[in-house]
Amino acid sequence: MATSVSADVNDGSQTSASTVSADNTISSSSAVTLSSSSSENSGVGTVDSSSSSNITNANNSDTDVANSSSATTGTNMVSSVSDVKSSSNSVATSDLGNVSDEQASTAKAYAASAYAASGADQVITRVDATATVDNGWTTESGVQYYYQNGQKANGYINDGSNWYLFKDGVRQSDVQEWAGTYYYFDHNTYLRVDNAYMKSNWGDYYLFGSDGRVATDVQKWAGTYYYFDHNTFLRVDNAYMKSNWGSYYLFGPNGSIQTEVQKWAGTYYYFDRYTYLRRTNAYLKSQWGDYYLFGSDGRIATDVQKWAGTYYYFDHHTYLRVDNKYVKSNWGNWYLFKSDGRIASGWYTYGYSSYYFNPNTYLLEKVVSSKASGEVDGWTIGDPMRPQVAAVDISSYQSGLTQANYNTLKSLGVKTVIVKLTEGTTYNNPYAANQIKQAEAAGLNVAVYDYAKFNSMSTAASEANYMVAYLEKYGISKSTTIIADMEDTSTYSSTVAQDLNQFWSTLNVSGYTAHVVYTYVSYKYRDAVVSTVGQNNTWIAQYPYSPLVNTTWNSSYGAWQVSSQAYIPGYSGNVDVSVDYNGLLANM
């Protein structure tokens, strides 16, 4: 294939005739000649076409465009007019190689000037910048093109060394559509990228598999599994997806497949660590060590549930199995779940109390206490059937309590010990200091009370001052809660509210400002004494015969003293015990 372009020298350009063979080399006829037999008027010769076939390269041989080192540009193409003059009538030959039209035009202008000055023939050879090849690479205007069968290549083609995707002869990069799918081609090497998670020009990431194709559905990558959308090819996050083979899997916020306990759609599920499948009807250990029950639909279970031939209870908030507790089911019935979590059936004994549960319904039918006393039965602190004890109150009658007994109270969930400090203006508990010390050593909160005897404002002030003397003697903190025990009939007075307020005011002067009233339901002036602190700061007493967990009397008050016949494991004497409704006792 050969191409020729010509121009009149008088227009400031030279004629260029280039012949390029199929193997992309210059032939011997690829020359421009300026000779003395040209134009007679211009002083600058025209192309002598008759001589061009007789003038060749200096070496009279073909030149490989791709490897030619003789191509020159600018003023290097023809050195100077003076250099040409010195050569007299010899032929001046310049091989330009593959240069642009602008560079060739500059060379022609120099050749024209040289010819005008010397009269010597000028021969310029070049490879036409617009020349094409049948098969192979060429550079056009600084851009590499690949030809196939004389046309700029299109498609996925091997150039003899590597495979590239071509469009109009140019190698493609980044995400490209080909043969009905998408591939990624490196921006530097233009080679197809396999087994890689790549960022596209528009910012999205895609996974390309071992054959280079863009990946969809469940795919393994970087040691785990991900899911890629079948339409957008993007990674899917926070979704429960069906795979090509029909199984469902959960993918988390970073797209990775999830295992063990996971939250999804407002509840929790368990996904097997090896198969990644949702588990059903199973009691499973979580990644943090706790066990949970998952039902037939895979959801985490709560409330009463049948498992392994019996029944268990699972907390509605923590989802953990509940042990040693008498609890209310979703349908309203109460059931006892023992230390191993199993539902109680038949006789169950704890401490001084025994209970009988119907073997068919599991409902409580009978309570028997071996420590019944008068109108109340005796029971043991820690009994799951009985109220949860928040506080015990003691006086000199419990002087035999040891440090171990206080430690036991702490282990059973008791929060506070309330110690009798004074009574009237003539008595102080001689064991109070030691009782306070031991309770604090066990990590229990401590409050103190005065068994009130006053019946006027003046006697109330005196009683408060008497109490302050022992508060200060024992170094009791001013932040300690002070309780006025208003139960003795000697305090009965129509002015009892004013009297009690005087008691509080006197304590305030000494800096003891945290006040609670203790009284009982049938106290004659109950409402009057309650009014001095309010119901939330009132601790009220009333003893049912056999209180249970679901016995919740006097819940409008801050706390309720539920029994005077409770027992500490390891201690033979009884203590008063109370439940807390609003943190009044627990936070003292």
Side-chain angles (χ1 to χ4, degrees):
M1 180 186 301
T3 61
S4 297
V5 290
S6 62
D8 192 324
V9 182
N10 293 322
D11 292 333
S13 64
Q14 293 289 40
T15 300
S16 172
S18 301
T19 302
V20 184
S21 65
D23 62 357
N24 202 29
T25 58
I26 302 174
S27 71
S28 59
S29 61
S30 180
V32 175
T33 303
L34 299 176
S35 69
S36 58
S37 59
S38 301
S39 172
E40 60 182 28
N41 297 319
S42 64
V44 178
T46 60
V47 176
D48 182 358
S49 59
S50 63
S51 63
S52 65
S53 61
N54 298 318
I55 302 174
T56 64
N57 294 330
N59 296 324
N60 195 28
S61 63
D62 293 344
T63 302
D64 185 341
V65 175
N67 298 309
S68 173
S69 60
S70 60
T72 56
T73 61
T75 59
N76 291 327
M77 295 175 182
V78 178
S79 299
S80 68
V81 173
S82 61
D83 289 342
V84 176
K85 283 183 178 180
S86 64
S87 63
S88 186
N89 292 322
S90 63
V91 177
T93 302
S94 295
D95 182 9
L96 303 184
N98 185 5
V99 297
S100 67
D101 290 345
E102 181 181 358
Q103 292 168 329
S105 179
T106 301
K108 291 175 188 178
Y110 274 103
S113 298
Y115 176 74
S118 67
D121 291 346
Q122 306 295 312
V123 177
I124 302 172
T125 60
R126 67 168 288 199
V127 177
D128 195 327
T130 61
T132 61
V133 295
D134 283 336
N135 293 285
W137 291 97
T138 188
T139 301
E140 301 175 11
S141 299
V143 177
Q144 279 192 311
Y145 292 89
Y146 186 78
Y147 281 81
Q148 189 177 52
N149 300 323
Q151 301 294 322
K152 289 179 177 177
N154 283 287
Y156 194 50
I157 298 169
N158 192 308
D159 73 341
S161 299
N162 294 300
W163 288 86
Y164 301 101
L165 181 66
F166 293 96
K167 182 177 180 181
D168 296 330
V170 178
R171 290 179 295 188
Q172 302 299 292
S173 65
D174 212 84
V175 178
Q176 298 293 335
E177 185 173 10
W178 171 249
T181 187
Y182 293 88
Y183 298 85
Y184 187 93
F185 297 90
D186 187 90
H187 283 263
N188 297 311
T189 67
Y190 302 99
L191 298 175
R192 191 186 77 191
V193 175
D194 300 344
N195 292 314
Y197 191 49
M198 303 300 296
K199 184 178 181 180
S200 67
N201 275 339
W202 50 91
D204 291 325
Y205 281 83
Y206 302 91
L207 180 66
F208 298 89
S210 58
D211 60 357
R213 295 169 181 257
V214 69
T216 63
D217 212 83
V218 179
Q219 298 291 336
K220 189 170 186 179
W221 170 250
T224 188
Y225 292 89
Y226 298 86
Y227 187 93
F228 297 88
D229 188 90
H230 283 262
N231 297 310
T232 66
F233 308 103
L234 296 174
R235 190 187 76 192
V236 176
D237 299 345
N238 291 315
Y240 189 51
M241 303 300 296
K242 184 178 180 180
S243 67
N244 276 339
W245 51 92
S247 298
Y248 281 84
Y249 302 93
L250 181 66
F251 297 89
N254 65 350
S256 63
I257 198 166
Q258 301 296 288
T259 63
E260 297 188 276
V261 178
Q262 299 293 336
K263 189 171 186 180
W264 171 250
T267 187
Y268 293 88
Y269 297 86
Y270 187 96
F271 297 90
D272 191 272
R273 287 187 296 162
Y274 302 102
T275 67
Y276 307 100
L277 297 175
R278 189 188 69 193
R279 293 288 300 275
T280 59
N281 293 315
Y283 189 51
L284 297 164
K285 186 178 181 180
S286 69
Q287 52 269 46
W288 51 87
D290 292 324
Y291 281 83
Y292 302 92
L293 180 66
F294 298 88
S296 58
D297 60 357
R299 294 169 183 256
I300 199 166
T302 62
D303 213 82
V304 179
Q305 298 290 336
K306 189 171 185 179
W307 170 249
T310 188
Y311 292 90
Y312 298 86
Y313 186 91
F314 297 89
D315 188 89
H316 282 263
H317 302 289
T318 67
Y319 307 100
L320 296 173
R321 191 187 77 190
V322 173
D323 301 344
N324 285 318
K325 198 166 186 180
Y326 191 49
V327 295
K328 185 179 181 181
S329 69
N330 275 340
W331 50 92
N333 291 333
W334 288 78
Y335 302 95
L336 174 66
F337 296 89
K338 298 182 293 185
S339 59
D340 60 358
R342 296 170 181 260
I343 197 167
S345 175
W347 282 102
Y348 170 82
T349 298
Y350 190 101
Y352 296 116
S353 301
S354 294
Y355 311 87
Y356 182 78
F357 297 91
N358 186 298
N360 297 312
T361 65
Y362 305 101
L363 298 175
L364 177 66
E365 293 186 348
K366 188 183 293 186
V367 179
V368 177
S369 173
S370 62
K371 279 282 189 179
S373 175
E375 297 181 356
V376 297
D377 71 350
W379 51 277
T380 307
I381 297 172
D383 186 337
M385 292 295 295
R386 300 294 184 159
Q388 175 61 52
V389 175
V392 300
D393 57 279
I394 59 176
S395 64
S396 58
Y397 290 110
Q398 288 82 28
S399 61
L401 287 170
T402 66
Q403 185 63 58
N405 298 141
Y406 288 101
N407 294 343
T408 297
L409 287 174
K410 176 70 174 180
S411 70
L412 293 172
V414 176
K415 304 295 184 184
T416 302
V417 173
I418 301 168
V419 180
K420 181 177 182 179
L421 186 64
T422 55
E423 180 178 329
T425 57
T426 60
Y427 174 82
N428 72 88
N429 175 9
Y431 304 100
N434 189 55
Q435 289 171 326
I436 291 170
K437 179 180 178 181
Q438 289 181 309
E440 290 178 336
L444 295 160
N445 300 324
V446 173
V448 294
Y449 72 92
D450 170 60
Y451 187 87
K453 289 292 191 73
F454 55 79
N455 58 12
S456 67
M457 292 179 67
S458 61
T459 56
S462 296
E463 197 162 317
N465 284 325
Y466 182 78
M467 188 181 196
V468 167
Y470 285 96
L471 289 169
E472 293 176 345
K473 178 179 179 179
Y474 297 142
I476 295 173
S477 168
K478 294 186 185 300
S479 63
T480 302
T481 298
I482 310 299
I483 301 166
D485 181 348
M486 304 298 292
E487 61 176 297
D488 196 88
T489 57
S490 65
T491 60
Y492 283 4
S493 169
S494 59
T495 62
V496 67
Q498 293 95 313
D499 299 343
L500 183 53
N501 277 326
Q502 181 61 55
F503 182 80
W504 298 138
S505 296
T506 305
L507 288 172
N508 286 340
V509 170
S510 296
Y512 294 95
T513 59
H515 307 149
V516 167
V517 164
Y518 168 88
T519 190
Y520 57 95
V521 170
S522 58
Y523 179 75
K524 183 177 181 179
Y525 294 100
R526 179 193 65 194
D527 292 344
V529 297
V530 168
S531 70
T532 67
V533 293
Q535 280 190 305
N536 286 337
N537 289 309
T538 298
W539 171 28
I540 199 157
Q542 187 180 21
Y543 305 150
Y545 177 77
S546 186
L548 299 176
V549 168
N550 53 353
T551 306
T552 53
W553 293 3
N554 303 301
S555 59
S556 61
Y557 294 91
W560 169 39
Q561 189 181 74
V562 65
S563 178
S564 62
Q565 292 295 315
Y567 294 85
I568 304 168
Y571 177 69
S572 59
N574 60 298
V575 293
D576 297 342
V577 293
S578 300
V579 298
D580 199 346
Y581 288 127
N582 66 2
L584 177 65
L585 302 184
N587 298 324
M588 283 182 169

